[in-house]
Amino acid sequence: MTPFEEFNFSGQKALDRVDFNVPQDEKGNITDDNRIRAALPTIQKILKDGGAVILMSHLGRPKGGPEEKFSLKHVLPRLEELLGLSVAFSGDCVGEAPTQASAALKPGEVLLLENLRFHPEEEKGDPEFARKLASLGNVYVNDAFGTAHRAHASTAVIARFFPAGKKMFGLLMEAEVTNAGKILHHAQKPFTAVIGGAKVSDKIEIIQNLTRIADHILIGGGMAYTFLKSMGKEIGSSLCENDKLELARQLREGTLGQVEIVLPEDSVIADRFAPDARTRMVDNDHIPPGWMGLDIGPKTVSRFAGIIRDSKTILWNGPMGVFEMEAFRSGTIAVAGAIVAATRSGAYSLVGGGDSVAALNQSGKADQVSFVSTGGGALLEYFEGKQLPGIAAIRPE
Ligand code: AMP
């Protein structure tokens, strides 16, 4: 695979698949431009070399045709502002308009194509649609890690229309793949995975796969209560997926000896799911009926923090409690603090998954871990051990 940094883009028209799927308010205004910012270094390197850039992305979930709300026009002003350049826009991503716009593009110029998902062929991975996109440029750069788990036309199928030396990861994608690979393939021991969030069903496969490589898996968040109930504990009205009890039991029992799965010992419980609920701190064998666990308690925090402190590699995905509410935030913040402290002492730490990143940002510590991933579903599938089509299309394993 050609390393992006070594490629000279002079005189080239690079088709750069970015992830401009930014959050918007009801009027279509961008409420968070991090994804645009993250795509800039790749764009700037191509321009600096004397190449031209054709940007393609999806935005939102249009229902198979153009929808004003999801037009990439909304991204244009912020992109121009951040790049300090005017950017041409093509009202369609395939056909006459982008073909002409691409032909007119000169070195140092940027063209943004309209939302790829205005064509259902994008998500179907249609080869003819991919071929039309490919015809717009002569080098393909994939910088959209967030969609790497999708076999879509612009993320995977398109690569087959470019020769080996003319398809590559962009800088963002390269960093994501390198950092995730460090954990999956070269984790220094002890390796601790901290997994939280609402549902066991979303995280079963990642836990299953991590049992092969991790030394400790610390489980927090709502999903912990399904595990606790599978051990026969009373969990009151805490979140529980009854159809996953058997799976949780098997996972706990089937992996004993190879990896230590650590469950919370105590909880911050509440009498209802609300920021101003009445709260109590209890051991997990004493959650009264009608009360629900919404955060890990102090004994759990200190056990988790101790294990994290002694680790050389740490992966964190998912909050330890309902961190959106002040009263149930401290477990998540404490875990973030422990990961930061371990990183300072030389551990390698990767944080990924929308909510743990949000929690890390909230505590102002995002720059104090080794790597913060932009990939939600893609990162999860990577750690589930699945092959991601967006990666395989460029770097077959
Ligand atoms: P996920 O998207 O699976 O990572 O889950 C994140 C969500 O899980 C957040 O919105 C949290 O508020 C929620 N969550 C975490 N812990 C709990 C809990 N103990 N009970 C209910 N929801 C929780």
Side-chain angles (χ1 to χ4, degrees), residues 196-200 202-203 220-225 238-239 268 273 292-296 317-325 328 332 353-356 380:
K199 290 163 114 193
V200 187
D202 290 344
K203 307 280 165 89
M223 58 189 275
Y225 297 96
S238 306
L239 215 57
V268 180
F273 189 86
M292 60 190 84
L294 295 184
D295 196 5
I296 53 173
N317 175 288
M320 297 291 100
V322 184
F323 77 100
E324 299 93 331
M325 300 181 198
F328 313 111
T332 301
D355 277 317
S356 18
L380 218 53

PDB file of all heavy atoms in Angstrom, residues 196-200 202-203 220-225 238-239 268 273 292-296 317-325 328 332 353-356 380, ligand 1:
ATOM      1  N   GLY A 196     -18.334  -0.020  28.761  1.00  0.00           N
ATOM      2  CA  GLY A 196     -19.557   0.423  29.445  1.00  0.00           C
ATOM      3  C   GLY A 196     -20.636   0.723  28.426  1.00  0.00           C
ATOM      4  O   GLY A 196     -20.565   0.269  27.285  1.00  0.00           O
ATOM      5  N   GLY A 197     -21.617   1.499  28.856  1.00  0.00           N
ATOM      6  CA  GLY A 197     -22.712   1.842  27.950  1.00  0.00           C
ATOM      7  C   GLY A 197     -23.985   1.140  28.358  1.00  0.00           C
ATOM      8  O   GLY A 197     -24.027   0.424  29.362  1.00  0.00           O
ATOM      9  N   ALA A 198     -25.005   1.345  27.545  1.00  0.00           N
ATOM     10  CA  ALA A 198     -26.340   0.931  27.955  1.00  0.00           C
ATOM     11  C   ALA A 198     -26.580  -0.576  27.810  1.00  0.00           C
ATOM     12  O   ALA A 198     -27.069  -1.226  28.725  1.00  0.00           O
ATOM     13  CB  ALA A 198     -27.366   1.714  27.159  1.00  0.00           C
ATOM     14  N   LYS A 199     -26.241  -1.113  26.638  1.00  0.00           N
ATOM     15  CA  LYS A 199     -26.750  -2.445  26.331  1.00  0.00           C
ATOM     16  C   LYS A 199     -25.678  -3.511  26.158  1.00  0.00           C
ATOM     17  O   LYS A 199     -24.696  -3.304  25.466  1.00  0.00           O
ATOM     18  CB  LYS A 199     -27.558  -2.375  25.028  1.00  0.00           C
ATOM     19  CG  LYS A 199     -28.870  -1.632  25.194  1.00  0.00           C
ATOM     20  CD  LYS A 199     -29.408  -1.233  23.858  1.00  0.00           C
ATOM     21  CE  LYS A 199     -30.690  -1.939  23.534  1.00  0.00           C
ATOM     22  NZ  LYS A 199     -31.036  -1.765  22.110  1.00  0.00           N
ATOM     23  N   VAL A 200     -25.909  -4.647  26.767  1.00  0.00           N
ATOM     24  CA  VAL A 200     -25.022  -5.791  26.568  1.00  0.00           C
ATOM     25  C   VAL A 200     -25.067  -6.232  25.111  1.00  0.00           C
ATOM     26  O   VAL A 200     -24.043  -6.588  24.532  1.00  0.00           O
ATOM     27  CB  VAL A 200     -25.494  -7.016  27.389  1.00  0.00           C
ATOM     28  CG1 VAL A 200     -24.486  -8.128  27.306  1.00  0.00           C
ATOM     29  CG2 VAL A 200     -25.752  -6.629  28.818  1.00  0.00           C
ATOM     30  N   ASP A 202     -25.237  -4.711  22.419  1.00  0.00           N
ATOM     31  CA  ASP A 202     -24.340  -3.987  21.506  1.00  0.00           C
ATOM     32  C   ASP A 202     -22.889  -4.390  21.705  1.00  0.00           C
ATOM     33  O   ASP A 202     -22.059  -4.172  20.830  1.00  0.00           O
ATOM     34  CB  ASP A 202     -24.410  -2.475  21.776  1.00  0.00           C
ATOM     35  CG  ASP A 202     -25.741  -1.886  21.360  1.00  0.00           C
ATOM     36  OD1 ASP A 202     -26.469  -2.553  20.602  1.00  0.00           O
ATOM     37  OD2 ASP A 202     -26.056  -0.759  21.792  1.00  0.00           O
ATOM     38  N   LYS A 203     -22.559  -4.904  22.884  1.00  0.00           N
ATOM     39  CA  LYS A 203     -21.140  -5.064  23.223  1.00  0.00           C
ATOM     40  C   LYS A 203     -20.707  -6.523  23.386  1.00  0.00           C
ATOM     41  O   LYS A 203     -19.547  -6.789  23.671  1.00  0.00           O
ATOM     42  CB  LYS A 203     -20.818  -4.291  24.520  1.00  0.00           C
ATOM     43  CG  LYS A 203     -21.241  -2.814  24.516  1.00  0.00           C
ATOM     44  CD  LYS A 203     -20.267  -1.910  23.775  1.00  0.00           C
ATOM     45  CE  LYS A 203     -20.837  -0.537  23.464  1.00  0.00           C
ATOM     46  NZ  LYS A 203     -20.630   0.470  24.482  1.00  0.00           N
ATOM     47  N   GLY A 220     -18.807  -1.720  33.133  1.00  0.00           N
ATOM     48  CA  GLY A 220     -19.598  -0.743  33.886  1.00  0.00           C
ATOM     49  C   GLY A 220     -20.819  -0.351  33.077  1.00  0.00           C
ATOM     50  O   GLY A 220     -21.132  -0.981  32.067  1.00  0.00           O
ATOM     51  N   GLY A 221     -21.503   0.708  33.524  1.00  0.00           N
ATOM     52  CA  GLY A 221     -22.671   1.188  32.781  1.00  0.00           C
ATOM     53  C   GLY A 221     -23.875   0.285  32.970  1.00  0.00           C
ATOM     54  O   GLY A 221     -23.845  -0.691  33.737  1.00  0.00           O
ATOM     55  N   GLY A 222     -24.930   0.593  32.223  1.00  0.00           N
ATOM     56  CA  GLY A 222     -26.182  -0.151  32.347  1.00  0.00           C
ATOM     57  C   GLY A 222     -26.004  -1.633  32.054  1.00  0.00           C
ATOM     58  O   GLY A 222     -26.667  -2.490  32.659  1.00  0.00           O
ATOM     59  N   MET A 223     -25.074  -1.947  31.156  1.00  0.00           N
ATOM     60  CA  MET A 223     -24.914  -3.350  30.760  1.00  0.00           C
ATOM     61  C   MET A 223     -24.427  -4.246  31.899  1.00  0.00           C
ATOM     62  O   MET A 223     -24.644  -5.456  31.887  1.00  0.00           O
ATOM     63  CB  MET A 223     -23.959  -3.454  29.571  1.00  0.00           C
ATOM     64  CG  MET A 223     -22.596  -2.875  29.838  1.00  0.00           C
ATOM     65  SD  MET A 223     -21.643  -2.813  28.324  1.00  0.00           S
ATOM     66  CE  MET A 223     -20.993  -4.460  28.351  1.00  0.00           C
ATOM     67  N   ALA A 224     -23.791  -3.650  32.901  1.00  0.00           N
ATOM     68  CA  ALA A 224     -23.263  -4.454  34.012  1.00  0.00           C
ATOM     69  C   ALA A 224     -24.381  -5.185  34.746  1.00  0.00           C
ATOM     70  O   ALA A 224     -24.167  -6.274  35.292  1.00  0.00           O
ATOM     71  CB  ALA A 224     -22.505  -3.552  34.991  1.00  0.00           C
ATOM     72  N   TYR A 225     -25.598  -4.591  34.742  1.00  0.00           N
ATOM     73  CA  TYR A 225     -26.672  -5.174  35.559  1.00  0.00           C
ATOM     74  C   TYR A 225     -27.204  -6.486  34.975  1.00  0.00           C
ATOM     75  O   TYR A 225     -27.684  -7.336  35.721  1.00  0.00           O
ATOM     76  CB  TYR A 225     -27.772  -4.135  35.811  1.00  0.00           C
ATOM     77  CG  TYR A 225     -27.189  -2.976  36.604  1.00  0.00           C
ATOM     78  CD1 TYR A 225     -26.731  -1.826  35.957  1.00  0.00           C
ATOM     79  CD2 TYR A 225     -26.992  -3.086  37.972  1.00  0.00           C
ATOM     80  CE1 TYR A 225     -26.125  -0.799  36.665  1.00  0.00           C
ATOM     81  CE2 TYR A 225     -26.378  -2.067  38.696  1.00  0.00           C
ATOM     82  CZ  TYR A 225     -25.944  -0.921  38.031  1.00  0.00           C
ATOM     83  OH  TYR A 225     -25.317   0.072  38.745  1.00  0.00           O
ATOM     84  N   SER A 238     -32.935  -1.722  37.642  1.00  0.00           N
ATOM     85  CA  SER A 238     -31.810  -1.351  36.782  1.00  0.00           C
ATOM     86  C   SER A 238     -32.039  -1.914  35.384  1.00  0.00           C
ATOM     87  O   SER A 238     -32.779  -2.884  35.208  1.00  0.00           O
ATOM     88  CB  SER A 238     -30.508  -1.953  37.314  1.00  0.00           C
ATOM     89  OG  SER A 238     -30.306  -1.596  38.649  1.00  0.00           O
ATOM     90  N   LEU A 239     -31.337  -1.296  34.434  1.00  0.00           N
ATOM     91  CA  LEU A 239     -31.405  -1.767  33.051  1.00  0.00           C
ATOM     92  C   LEU A 239     -31.054  -3.251  32.985  1.00  0.00           C
ATOM     93  O   LEU A 239     -30.083  -3.676  33.603  1.00  0.00           O
ATOM     94  CB  LEU A 239     -30.376  -0.973  32.246  1.00  0.00           C
ATOM     95  CG  LEU A 239     -30.674  -0.592  30.818  1.00  0.00           C
ATOM     96  CD1 LEU A 239     -31.976   0.223  30.741  1.00  0.00           C
ATOM     97  CD2 LEU A 239     -29.529   0.247  30.262  1.00  0.00           C
ATOM     98  N   VAL A 268     -24.293   3.730  42.473  1.00  0.00           N
ATOM     99  CA  VAL A 268     -25.118   4.866  42.868  1.00  0.00           C
ATOM    100  C   VAL A 268     -26.498   4.526  42.327  1.00  0.00           C
ATOM    101  O   VAL A 268     -26.663   4.354  41.117  1.00  0.00           O
ATOM    102  CB  VAL A 268     -24.624   6.186  42.223  1.00  0.00           C
ATOM    103  CG1 VAL A 268     -25.514   7.345  42.653  1.00  0.00           C
ATOM    104  CG2 VAL A 268     -23.167   6.440  42.556  1.00  0.00           C
ATOM    105  N   PHE A 273     -35.354   7.559  36.940  1.00  0.00           N
ATOM    106  CA  PHE A 273     -34.362   7.950  35.940  1.00  0.00           C
ATOM    107  C   PHE A 273     -34.506   9.455  35.703  1.00  0.00           C
ATOM    108  O   PHE A 273     -35.208   9.885  34.793  1.00  0.00           O
ATOM    109  CB  PHE A 273     -34.596   7.157  34.653  1.00  0.00           C
ATOM    110  CG  PHE A 273     -33.488   7.326  33.645  1.00  0.00           C
ATOM    111  CD1 PHE A 273     -32.353   6.524  33.700  1.00  0.00           C
ATOM    112  CD2 PHE A 273     -33.564   8.284  32.643  1.00  0.00           C
ATOM    113  CE1 PHE A 273     -31.323   6.667  32.765  1.00  0.00           C
ATOM    114  CE2 PHE A 273     -32.554   8.437  31.706  1.00  0.00           C
ATOM    115  CZ  PHE A 273     -31.428   7.634  31.771  1.00  0.00           C
ATOM    116  N   MET A 292     -32.846   1.883  40.835  1.00  0.00           N
ATOM    117  CA  MET A 292     -32.018   1.467  39.681  1.00  0.00           C
ATOM    118  C   MET A 292     -30.581   1.977  39.808  1.00  0.00           C
ATOM    119  O   MET A 292     -30.350   3.084  40.310  1.00  0.00           O
ATOM    120  CB  MET A 292     -32.635   1.980  38.382  1.00  0.00           C
ATOM    121  CG  MET A 292     -32.757   3.479  38.302  1.00  0.00           C
ATOM    122  SD  MET A 292     -33.735   4.002  36.884  1.00  0.00           S
ATOM    123  CE  MET A 292     -35.369   3.851  37.541  1.00  0.00           C
ATOM    124  N   GLY A 293     -29.635   1.164  39.361  1.00  0.00           N
ATOM    125  CA  GLY A 293     -28.222   1.565  39.381  1.00  0.00           C
ATOM    126  C   GLY A 293     -27.932   2.454  38.184  1.00  0.00           C
ATOM    127  O   GLY A 293     -28.149   2.048  37.044  1.00  0.00           O
ATOM    128  N   LEU A 294     -27.441   3.671  38.472  1.00  0.00           N
ATOM    129  CA  LEU A 294     -27.168   4.592  37.356  1.00  0.00           C
ATOM    130  C   LEU A 294     -25.698   5.017  37.268  1.00  0.00           C
ATOM    131  O   LEU A 294     -25.327   5.769  36.374  1.00  0.00           O
ATOM    132  CB  LEU A 294     -28.073   5.831  37.458  1.00  0.00           C
ATOM    133  CG  LEU A 294     -29.585   5.573  37.291  1.00  0.00           C
ATOM    134  CD1 LEU A 294     -30.371   6.881  37.314  1.00  0.00           C
ATOM    135  CD2 LEU A 294     -29.907   4.814  35.997  1.00  0.00           C
ATOM    136  N   ASP A 295     -24.881   4.541  38.207  1.00  0.00           N
ATOM    137  CA  ASP A 295     -23.440   4.809  38.112  1.00  0.00           C
ATOM    138  C   ASP A 295     -22.715   3.765  38.950  1.00  0.00           C
ATOM    139  O   ASP A 295     -23.313   3.149  39.834  1.00  0.00           O
ATOM    140  CB  ASP A 295     -23.118   6.222  38.644  1.00  0.00           C
ATOM    141  CG  ASP A 295     -21.727   6.708  38.225  1.00  0.00           C
ATOM    142  OD1 ASP A 295     -21.049   6.002  37.440  1.00  0.00           O
ATOM    143  OD2 ASP A 295     -21.317   7.795  38.683  1.00  0.00           O
ATOM    144  N   ILE A 296     -21.425   3.584  38.674  1.00  0.00           N
ATOM    145  CA  ILE A 296     -20.644   2.696  39.542  1.00  0.00           C
ATOM    146  C   ILE A 296     -20.353   3.453  40.847  1.00  0.00           C
ATOM    147  O   ILE A 296     -20.244   4.679  40.856  1.00  0.00           O
ATOM    148  CB  ILE A 296     -19.333   2.216  38.862  1.00  0.00           C
ATOM    149  CG1 ILE A 296     -18.499   3.394  38.337  1.00  0.00           C
ATOM    150  CG2 ILE A 296     -19.638   1.248  37.732  1.00  0.00           C
ATOM    151  CD1 ILE A 296     -17.120   3.004  37.797  1.00  0.00           C
ATOM    152  N   ASN A 317     -14.291   1.973  25.954  1.00  0.00           N
ATOM    153  CA  ASN A 317     -15.460   2.199  25.109  1.00  0.00           C
ATOM    154  C   ASN A 317     -16.723   2.156  25.971  1.00  0.00           C
ATOM    155  O   ASN A 317     -17.046   1.107  26.526  1.00  0.00           O
ATOM    156  CB  ASN A 317     -15.517   1.113  24.024  1.00  0.00           C
ATOM    157  CG  ASN A 317     -16.770   1.205  23.174  1.00  0.00           C
ATOM    158  OD1 ASN A 317     -17.857   0.884  23.629  1.00  0.00           O
ATOM    159  ND2 ASN A 317     -16.625   1.656  21.954  1.00  0.00           N
ATOM    160  N   GLY A 318     -17.405   3.286  26.073  1.00  0.00           N
ATOM    161  CA  GLY A 318     -18.701   3.322  26.771  1.00  0.00           C
ATOM    162  C   GLY A 318     -18.615   3.841  28.196  1.00  0.00           C
ATOM    163  O   GLY A 318     -17.728   3.453  28.953  1.00  0.00           O
ATOM    164  N   PRO A 319     -19.557   4.726  28.567  1.00  0.00           N
ATOM    165  CA  PRO A 319     -19.539   5.340  29.908  1.00  0.00           C
ATOM    166  C   PRO A 319     -19.913   4.355  31.026  1.00  0.00           C
ATOM    167  O   PRO A 319     -20.568   3.351  30.791  1.00  0.00           O
ATOM    168  CB  PRO A 319     -20.577   6.454  29.797  1.00  0.00           C
ATOM    169  CG  PRO A 319     -21.490   6.015  28.717  1.00  0.00           C
ATOM    170  CD  PRO A 319     -20.675   5.206  27.755  1.00  0.00           C
ATOM    171  N   MET A 320     -19.482   4.694  32.230  1.00  0.00           N
ATOM    172  CA  MET A 320     -19.713   3.836  33.410  1.00  0.00           C
ATOM    173  C   MET A 320     -21.084   4.061  34.044  1.00  0.00           C
ATOM    174  O   MET A 320     -21.499   3.331  34.940  1.00  0.00           O
ATOM    175  CB  MET A 320     -18.642   4.118  34.478  1.00  0.00           C
ATOM    176  CG  MET A 320     -17.225   3.798  34.046  1.00  0.00           C
ATOM    177  SD  MET A 320     -16.968   2.013  33.855  1.00  0.00           S
ATOM    178  CE  MET A 320     -17.109   1.810  32.096  1.00  0.00           C
ATOM    179  N   GLY A 321     -21.753   5.134  33.598  1.00  0.00           N
ATOM    180  CA  GLY A 321     -23.071   5.445  34.146  1.00  0.00           C
ATOM    181  C   GLY A 321     -23.753   6.473  33.262  1.00  0.00           C
ATOM    182  O   GLY A 321     -23.273   6.771  32.163  1.00  0.00           O
ATOM    183  N   VAL A 322     -24.846   7.011  33.759  1.00  0.00           N
ATOM    184  CA  VAL A 322     -25.587   8.011  32.979  1.00  0.00           C
ATOM    185  C   VAL A 322     -24.867   9.354  33.139  1.00  0.00           C
ATOM    186  O   VAL A 322     -25.314  10.232  33.877  1.00  0.00           O
ATOM    187  CB  VAL A 322     -27.052   8.074  33.455  1.00  0.00           C
ATOM    188  CG1 VAL A 322     -27.864   9.029  32.594  1.00  0.00           C
ATOM    189  CG2 VAL A 322     -27.682   6.681  33.390  1.00  0.00           C
ATOM    190  N   PHE A 323     -23.741   9.475  32.436  1.00  0.00           N
ATOM    191  CA  PHE A 323     -22.859  10.622  32.678  1.00  0.00           C
ATOM    192  C   PHE A 323     -23.474  11.941  32.221  1.00  0.00           C
ATOM    193  O   PHE A 323     -23.013  13.002  32.585  1.00  0.00           O
ATOM    194  CB  PHE A 323     -21.504  10.396  31.982  1.00  0.00           C
ATOM    195  CG  PHE A 323     -21.560  10.639  30.501  1.00  0.00           C
ATOM    196  CD1 PHE A 323     -21.108  11.828  29.950  1.00  0.00           C
ATOM    197  CD2 PHE A 323     -22.103   9.691  29.666  1.00  0.00           C
ATOM    198  CE1 PHE A 323     -21.180  12.065  28.587  1.00  0.00           C
ATOM    199  CE2 PHE A 323     -22.189   9.913  28.301  1.00  0.00           C
ATOM    200  CZ  PHE A 323     -21.735  11.103  27.765  1.00  0.00           C
ATOM    201  N   GLU A 324     -24.548  11.846  31.416  1.00  0.00           N
ATOM    202  CA  GLU A 324     -25.210  13.080  30.971  1.00  0.00           C
ATOM    203  C   GLU A 324     -25.837  13.804  32.162  1.00  0.00           C
ATOM    204  O   GLU A 324     -26.089  15.000  32.107  1.00  0.00           O
ATOM    205  CB  GLU A 324     -26.313  12.778  29.950  1.00  0.00           C
ATOM    206  CG  GLU A 324     -25.838  12.108  28.657  1.00  0.00           C
ATOM    207  CD  GLU A 324     -25.921  10.578  28.713  1.00  0.00           C
ATOM    208  OE1 GLU A 324     -25.808  10.010  29.821  1.00  0.00           O
ATOM    209  OE2 GLU A 324     -26.073   9.962  27.641  1.00  0.00           O
ATOM    210  N   MET A 325     -26.126  13.082  33.242  1.00  0.00           N
ATOM    211  CA  MET A 325     -26.712  13.708  34.430  1.00  0.00           C
ATOM    212  C   MET A 325     -25.641  13.829  35.500  1.00  0.00           C
ATOM    213  O   MET A 325     -24.987  12.834  35.847  1.00  0.00           O
ATOM    214  CB  MET A 325     -27.881  12.864  34.960  1.00  0.00           C
ATOM    215  CG  MET A 325     -29.014  12.691  33.964  1.00  0.00           C
ATOM    216  SD  MET A 325     -30.338  11.714  34.731  1.00  0.00           S
ATOM    217  CE  MET A 325     -31.249  11.182  33.288  1.00  0.00           C
ATOM    218  N   PHE A 328     -24.839  11.273  38.214  1.00  0.00           N
ATOM    219  CA  PHE A 328     -24.392   9.911  37.862  1.00  0.00           C
ATOM    220  C   PHE A 328     -23.159   9.941  36.961  1.00  0.00           C
ATOM    221  O   PHE A 328     -22.956   9.085  36.112  1.00  0.00           O
ATOM    222  CB  PHE A 328     -25.543   9.150  37.192  1.00  0.00           C
ATOM    223  CG  PHE A 328     -26.837   9.303  37.946  1.00  0.00           C
ATOM    224  CD1 PHE A 328     -27.888  10.028  37.410  1.00  0.00           C
ATOM    225  CD2 PHE A 328     -26.961   8.761  39.214  1.00  0.00           C
ATOM    226  CE1 PHE A 328     -29.066  10.207  38.126  1.00  0.00           C
ATOM    227  CE2 PHE A 328     -28.125   8.935  39.940  1.00  0.00           C
ATOM    228  CZ  PHE A 328     -29.177   9.662  39.395  1.00  0.00           C
ATOM    229  N   THR A 332     -17.716   7.705  35.678  1.00  0.00           N
ATOM    230  CA  THR A 332     -17.123   7.873  34.344  1.00  0.00           C
ATOM    231  C   THR A 332     -15.939   8.841  34.398  1.00  0.00           C
ATOM    232  O   THR A 332     -14.879   8.578  33.810  1.00  0.00           O
ATOM    233  CB  THR A 332     -18.197   8.384  33.357  1.00  0.00           C
ATOM    234  OG1 THR A 332     -19.259   7.423  33.322  1.00  0.00           O
ATOM    235  CG2 THR A 332     -17.639   8.576  31.958  1.00  0.00           C
ATOM    236  N   GLY A 353     -15.669   5.432  20.615  1.00  0.00           N
ATOM    237  CA  GLY A 353     -17.107   5.263  20.841  1.00  0.00           C
ATOM    238  C   GLY A 353     -17.628   6.603  21.292  1.00  0.00           C
ATOM    239  O   GLY A 353     -17.080   7.193  22.233  1.00  0.00           O
ATOM    240  N   GLY A 354     -18.661   7.085  20.609  1.00  0.00           N
ATOM    241  CA  GLY A 354     -19.170   8.445  20.800  1.00  0.00           C
ATOM    242  C   GLY A 354     -19.282   8.881  22.240  1.00  0.00           C
ATOM    243  O   GLY A 354     -18.790   9.949  22.615  1.00  0.00           O
ATOM    244  N   ASP A 355     -19.891   8.049  23.100  1.00  0.00           N
ATOM    245  CA  ASP A 355     -20.190   8.519  24.442  1.00  0.00           C
ATOM    246  C   ASP A 355     -18.977   8.598  25.359  1.00  0.00           C
ATOM    247  O   ASP A 355     -18.899   9.498  26.191  1.00  0.00           O
ATOM    248  CB  ASP A 355     -21.273   7.641  25.078  1.00  0.00           C
ATOM    249  CG  ASP A 355     -22.654   8.090  24.629  1.00  0.00           C
ATOM    250  OD1 ASP A 355     -22.885   9.308  24.592  1.00  0.00           O
ATOM    251  OD2 ASP A 355     -23.483   7.228  24.313  1.00  0.00           O
ATOM    252  N   SER A 356     -18.043   7.678  25.205  1.00  0.00           N
ATOM    253  CA  SER A 356     -16.857   7.802  26.066  1.00  0.00           C
ATOM    254  C   SER A 356     -16.018   8.996  25.635  1.00  0.00           C
ATOM    255  O   SER A 356     -15.411   9.673  26.476  1.00  0.00           O
ATOM    256  CB  SER A 356     -16.003   6.523  26.093  1.00  0.00           C
ATOM    257  OG  SER A 356     -16.281   5.684  25.028  1.00  0.00           O
ATOM    258  N   LEU A 380     -15.916  -0.325  16.865  1.00  0.00           N
ATOM    259  CA  LEU A 380     -16.490  -1.481  17.553  1.00  0.00           C
ATOM    260  C   LEU A 380     -16.305  -2.746  16.714  1.00  0.00           C
ATOM    261  O   LEU A 380     -15.844  -3.776  17.196  1.00  0.00           O
ATOM    262  CB  LEU A 380     -17.980  -1.215  17.783  1.00  0.00           C
ATOM    263  CG  LEU A 380     -18.581  -1.690  19.089  1.00  0.00           C
ATOM    264  CD1 LEU A 380     -17.796  -1.181  20.269  1.00  0.00           C
ATOM    265  CD2 LEU A 380     -20.027  -1.240  19.196  1.00  0.00           C
TER     266      LEU A 380
HETATM  267  P1  AMP B   1     -23.727   3.184  24.506  1.00  0.00           P
HETATM  268  O1  AMP B   1     -24.230   4.013  23.367  1.00  0.00           O
HETATM  269  O2  AMP B   1     -24.153   1.767  24.474  1.00  0.00           O
HETATM  270  O3  AMP B   1     -22.239   3.353  24.740  1.00  0.00           O
HETATM  271  O4  AMP B   1     -24.461   3.733  25.798  1.00  0.00           O
HETATM  272  C1  AMP B   1     -24.310   5.040  26.244  1.00  0.00           C
HETATM  273  C2  AMP B   1     -25.508   5.402  27.071  1.00  0.00           C
HETATM  274  O5  AMP B   1     -25.642   4.486  28.135  1.00  0.00           O
HETATM  275  C3  AMP B   1     -25.424   6.757  27.678  1.00  0.00           C
HETATM  276  O6  AMP B   1     -26.419   7.571  27.135  1.00  0.00           O
HETATM  277  C4  AMP B   1     -25.635   6.514  29.158  1.00  0.00           C
HETATM  278  O7  AMP B   1     -26.508   7.449  29.752  1.00  0.00           O
HETATM  279  C5  AMP B   1     -26.281   5.147  29.182  1.00  0.00           C
HETATM  280  N1  AMP B   1     -26.046   4.458  30.455  1.00  0.00           N
HETATM  281  C6  AMP B   1     -24.870   4.229  31.047  1.00  0.00           C
HETATM  282  N2  AMP B   1     -25.038   3.622  32.235  1.00  0.00           N
HETATM  283  C7  AMP B   1     -26.363   3.458  32.400  1.00  0.00           C
HETATM  284  C8  AMP B   1     -27.163   2.892  33.434  1.00  0.00           C
HETATM  285  N3  AMP B   1     -26.608   2.381  34.546  1.00  0.00           N
HETATM  286  N4  AMP B   1     -28.495   2.882  33.263  1.00  0.00           N
HETATM  287  C9  AMP B   1     -29.053   3.408  32.155  1.00  0.00           C
HETATM  288  N5  AMP B   1     -28.355   3.955  31.147  1.00  0.00           N
HETATM  289  C10 AMP B   1     -27.015   3.984  31.265  1.00  0.00           C
END
